């Protein structure tokens, strides 16, 4: 019998081959793709996120777990699509205009994927109108903005403004080294996440 708890455990360890084999086995045994996603991958990534938050895991461990998850998702996605499973939500994620940093953004993207979201990666140096366009094209409920520099965080209110002007019913979540809750409140962003694990909780709250 497919052991989804073992799948989650292997994912937490970052044991990519075991995770992929267990997911494959579960699919072969006819286990529901959504069940594999929720009880195997999402459950595992939630623990990884928690450990990261508690400083028990650092970026390398999270990346290793996320790679194991991405490899498994390649197997799962066709089955999920076939069974009509909707993602937890669609998030457009990018680093704001003028900023070329992407490690934090990529980490958040991996954690969101691990949380069952569909992530549209806008990349780096993204102007406000590009965020708006991608949100419209993909039916996103959420836009995630990252900035690592105090000089580029001033781009964030421009994105919030562009979303309002476009009349989009999309929430905006922000994060990055210089960002604070106060700044989020000041510019009218809907949420602020201090780290990648909190970003998943915040996204679930904003979309839910």
């Amino acid at each position: 019998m497919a052991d989804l708890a073992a799948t989650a455990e292997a994912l937490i360890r970052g044991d990519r081959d075991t995770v992929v084999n267990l997911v494959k086995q579960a699919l072969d045994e006819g286990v529901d793709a959504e069940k594999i996603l929720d009880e195997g991958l999402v459950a595992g990534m939630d623990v990884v996120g928690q450990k990261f938050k508690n400083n028990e895991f650092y970026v390398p461990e999270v990346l290793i777990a996320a790679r194991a998850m991405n490899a498994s998702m390649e197997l799962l996605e066709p089955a999920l699509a076939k069974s009509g499973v909707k993602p937890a939500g669609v998030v457009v994620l990018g680093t704001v205009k003028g900023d070329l940093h992407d490690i934090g953004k990529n980490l958040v993207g991996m954690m969101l994927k691990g949380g069952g979201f569909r992530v549209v990666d806008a990349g780096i140096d993204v102007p406000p109108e590009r965020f708006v366009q991608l949100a419209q094209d993909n039916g996103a409920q959420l836009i995630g903005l990252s900035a690592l520099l105090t000089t580029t965080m001033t781009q964030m209110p421009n994105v919030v403004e562009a979303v309002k002007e476009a009349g989009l019913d999309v929430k905006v979540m922000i994060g990055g080294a210089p960002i604070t809750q106060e700044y989020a409140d000041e510019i009218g962003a809907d949420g602020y996440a201090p780290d990648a694990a909190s970003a998943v909780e915040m996204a679930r709250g904003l979309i839910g």
Side-chain angles (χ1 to χ4, degrees), residues 107-122:
L107 197 55
V108 169
M110 286 172 177
M111 295 300 282
L112 284 168
K113 276 186 194 160
F117 290 89
R118 182 160 95 77
V119 177
V120 180
D121 192 342

Side-chain angles (χ1 to χ4, degrees), residues 12-13 23 25 28-29 31 70 86 92 97-98 109 124 133 146 163 194 207:
I12 296 161
R13 288 197 310 273
V23 167
Q25 186 190 333
D28 290 345
E29 287 173 13
V31 179
N70 284 336
K86 294 270 182 285
V92 173
K97 191 174 172 189
I124 54 174
Q133 187 65 56
S146 167
V163 169
I207 290 178

Side-chain angles (χ1 to χ4, degrees), residues 16-85:
R16 180 177 164 166
D17 293 346
T18 302
V19 178
V20 169
N21 288 333
L22 286 170
V23 167
K24 217 169 158 181
Q25 186 190 333
L27 284 170
D28 290 345
E29 287 173 13
V31 179
D32 187 48
E34 190 172 11
K35 192 175 158 85
I36 300 171
L37 177 67
D38 289 343
E39 293 177 23
L41 304 184
V42 174
M45 282 308 279
D46 277 351
V47 174
V48 171
Q50 216 39 60
K51 285 184 179 292
F52 180 59
K53 241 177 136 163
N54 300 338
N55 294 322
E56 293 167 43
F57 270 15
Y58 297 97
V59 171
E61 287 98 335
V62 176
L63 290 175
I64 289 167
R67 284 196 194 113
M69 187 208 70
N70 284 336
S72 320
M73 283 305 286
E74 282 174 23
L75 291 172
L76 260 190
E77 271 169 352
L80 286 168
K82 218 184 286 176
S83 59
V85 174

Side-chain angles (χ1 to χ4, degrees), residues 99-163:
D99 205 317
L100 307 178
H101 295 90
D102 68 354
I103 291 176
K105 167 186 72 67
N106 293 347
L107 197 55
V108 169
M110 286 172 177
M111 295 300 282
L112 284 168
K113 276 186 194 160
F117 290 89
R118 182 160 95 77
V119 177
V120 180
D121 192 342
I124 54 174
D125 192 20
V126 185
E129 56 278 10
R130 175 88 180 126
F131 280 113
V132 168
Q133 187 65 56
L134 284 171
Q136 284 172 323
D137 292 350
N138 292 280
Q141 295 88 18
L142 187 61
I143 293 174
L145 307 178
S146 167
L148 204 73
L149 307 171
T150 45
T151 49
T152 56
M153 64 191 264
T154 51
Q155 283 292 329
M156 288 177 164
N158 301 344
V159 181
V160 173
E161 203 44 52
V163 169

